[in-house]
Amino acid sequence: MLQPIATLYVKNIDWKVKKPLLKRALYSLFSRHGKVLEVNVLRREGLRGQAWVIMEDVQAATAALQAENGFTFFEKDLVIEYAKEKSDRIARLDGSFVPKAKRRKIKEEQEQKDEQEAEADADAAGIEKVPDDPESKEDPASNDSGENAPQEPVVPPSKYLLAQNLPSECNEMMLGMLFRQYKGYKEVRLPRAGLAFVEFEDEPHATLAMNGLNGFKLTKSDTLTLTYGKS
């Protein structure tokens, strides 16, 4: 499953259309949804009918994907997906550029790190949900002193996810495109600015989405922070 990025992969293009006209038409089509940094069209054997459109940010790419996927373009219906990798141009702009030879290793290391952090968070949550354990190794004095202290409730895993402190430009359409990639997705609701509830069919599907999108970079300065919501 591909992670949302600012680069879109476009296929099912009529390769008989001349390349200059094709680039101008794609640029005009995608510019309706945000700034287009670059359009790359390939016409060599085996890659005909394919293009990559580099948008300025993920929000613009998501809006373009939702609006134009299936659009009849030179009598053929476009098929639009997120590209497998961030374009070098975007990577250079945000300072994350690395040579292609190193990208796979970095991605694998990051995935392993995310899994370890998720397991650590789950273990910590499990410990907090067992108050006043008689077999606890904590000092009894510290237990006594904390009996009356207010504790933050721990929400158990559920089919609901809660996203808080969302940037003002983040809306239901954008969040819907992010979570729709994951099986079991049902809907997203924004009861107020900066807060969203995402519902899945069951807890395993919600957990899979949370592990995949928690920490996802929404803007240059904002990341997606997910927790479980109350059932």
Side-chain angles (χ1 to χ4, degrees), residues 124-140:
I127 293 173
E128 292 176 359
K129 286 190 288 185
V130 186
D132 301 325
D133 185 350
E135 297 182 2
S136 173
K137 296 182 180 180
E138 293 184 18
D139 181 32

Side-chain angles (χ1 to χ4, degrees), residues 139-179:
D139 181 32
S142 64
N143 284 337
D144 293 340
S145 62
E147 284 182 355
N148 298 323
Q151 295 183 356
E152 184 177 349
V154 175
V155 179
S158 72
K159 67 176 183 178
Y160 298 99
L161 298 180
L162 175 65
Q164 302 184 71
N165 302 319
L166 296 170
S168 58
E169 59 267 37
C170 192
N171 54 34
E172 289 186 6
M173 179 187 71
M174 177 181 173
L175 290 174
M177 287 301 300
L178 288 174
F179 287 96

Side-chain angles (χ1 to χ4, degrees), residues 13-58:
I13 300 172
D14 186 355
W15 63 270
K16 295 179 182 178
V17 179
K18 292 185 178 181
K19 187 173 181 178
L21 174 59
L22 192 58
K23 291 186 69 172
R24 287 198 300 270
L26 286 171
Y27 185 90
S28 298
L29 180 66
F30 285 86
S31 291
R32 298 189 296 181
H33 308 286
K35 185 176 180 180
V36 176
L37 299 181
E38 189 175 337
V39 177
N40 293 319
V41 177
L42 298 180
R43 291 175 58 85
R44 63 180 180 268
E45 193 67 34
L47 292 175
R48 291 175 177 175
Q50 302 179 53
W52 283 262
V53 180
I54 305 173
M55 307 295 291
E56 185 176 32
D57 51 42
V58 176

Side-chain angles (χ1 to χ4, degrees), residues 176-189:
M177 287 301 300
L178 288 174
F179 287 96
R180 193 172 290 119
Q181 307 171 84
Y182 293 88
K183 292 183 179 179
Y185 167 79
K186 295 185 69 174
E187 66 172 339
V188 58
R189 301 186 301 276

